[in-house]
Amino acid sequence: MIPWEKLDTAKIPGSDEELRLMRRGKEFSIKLGTNELMNSRLSGSEAALATLAAKQIETVAKPIVLIGGLGMGFTLRAALAVLGSKAKIVVSELVPSVVAWARGPMAEVFGDSLDDARVSIQETDVGEIIRARRSAFDAIQLDVDNGPEGLTRKGNDALYSASGLSSAKTALRPGGVLAVWSSGPNPAFTRRLRSAGFDVNEVNVRATGRGGGARHVIWIAKKS
């Protein structure tokens, strides 16, 4: 078997933790300690984050979408595939090296997605964008950590708090949707979404998107 090769490391702003970009042949992995955050062979649930959200806003002629977390671009590429030519997609990525990896060693994985005219990359905390905007987005898609309980950075917890959900609701247009990816269920978060006034649907998906791999959860929270 081909051994894993460490290509680069990156400090996470606001944390002492470090991401590692690994490669084995044409397979890539981003790891934090002993945890694998993402793998280029497992894109199903991250892609579902985009497609499930897009289904909720399919009648919007010129949708504006905010994606929190670039990662390996699974959600971005899925959004580009299902949203029309008049869509605008803002991708917020806190770790500058992740954007550099997308344009460098993982360029083949990303294809031309970063250069699509519909896409704007912002190297900043997605929470800052959400708090600064009002009725700005038709969909907000969050995949910035392992789910509502922060793993890579404790500051991410604020996104999923009562105040964070209130800010997200304010940043959405009427009928907009907040879609949240998680590695597993979190009943307390479901309750917080409902308490924030969202109509909530919890969807179970598989990591590979073909009925295999780990079971992940996506919340689709609709603003009335």
Side-chain angles (χ1 to χ4, degrees):
M1 180 178 288
I2 302 173
W4 284 102
E5 171 191 7
K6 183 169 72 174
L7 298 182
D8 198 10
T9 60
K11 286 287 187 181
I12 302 172
S15 169
D16 294 329
E17 301 285 359
E18 186 178 75
L19 298 177
R20 304 191 312 281
L21 176 63
M22 311 292 292
R23 179 175 62 193
R24 182 172 62 186
K26 293 186 176 182
E27 179 183 2
F28 291 91
S29 173
I30 295 179
K31 295 185 176 182
L32 175 74
T34 59
N35 295 294
E36 182 176 64
L37 300 181
M38 59 200 78
N39 185 292
S40 59
R41 296 174 57 198
L42 303 173
S43 61
S45 61
E46 288 87 350
L49 179 67
T51 56
L52 290 170
K55 185 69 175 176
Q56 299 295 316
I57 58 169
E58 60 185 356
T59 60
V60 180
K62 298 179 181 179
I64 300 177
V65 174
L66 173 62
I67 296 176
L70 176 61
M72 290 187 176
F74 303 136
T75 302
L76 171 60
R77 293 195 296 281
L80 287 170
V82 296
L83 294 173
S85 61
K86 295 182 180 179
K88 292 185 179 180
I89 303 173
V90 179
V91 181
S92 175
E93 175 52 57
L94 181 67
V95 184
S97 290
V98 172
V99 180
W101 294 344
R103 295 192 182 278
M106 290 197 294
E108 187 174 343
V109 175
F110 277 80
D112 60 0
S113 61
L114 297 182
D115 298 318
D116 192 295
R118 294 171 287 174
V119 177
S120 171
I121 305 293
Q122 305 290 324
E123 294 183 6
T124 188
D125 185 344
V126 68
E128 292 183 6
I129 296 177
I130 290 172
R131 290 189 293 272
R133 307 295 289 274
R134 188 180 189 90
S135 298
F137 303 107
D138 297 290
I140 298 173
Q141 301 166 17
L142 297 180
D143 182 12
V144 299
D145 212 310
N146 223 36
E149 293 181 357
L151 173 67
T152 64
R153 177 174 173 266
K154 293 305 292 181
N156 290 334
D157 288 348
L159 289 170
Y160 309 110
S161 68
S163 62
L165 295 178
S166 176
S167 295
K169 191 176 180 185
T170 298
L172 287 169
R173 293 171 172 172
V177 61
L178 172 65
V180 179
W181 182 96
S182 176
S183 62
N186 189 314
F189 180 62
T190 303
R191 290 193 293 271
R192 283 202 301 277
L193 282 168
R194 292 196 172 113
S195 295
F198 287 103
D199 294 326
V200 183
N201 185 22
E202 188 174 330
V203 184
N204 294 302
V205 293
R206 288 295 191 98
T208 65
R210 297 184 298 272
R215 296 178 184 273
H216 297 156
V217 175
I218 295 172
W219 287 271
I220 300 297
K222 196 82 178 283
K223 177 180 177 178
S224 59

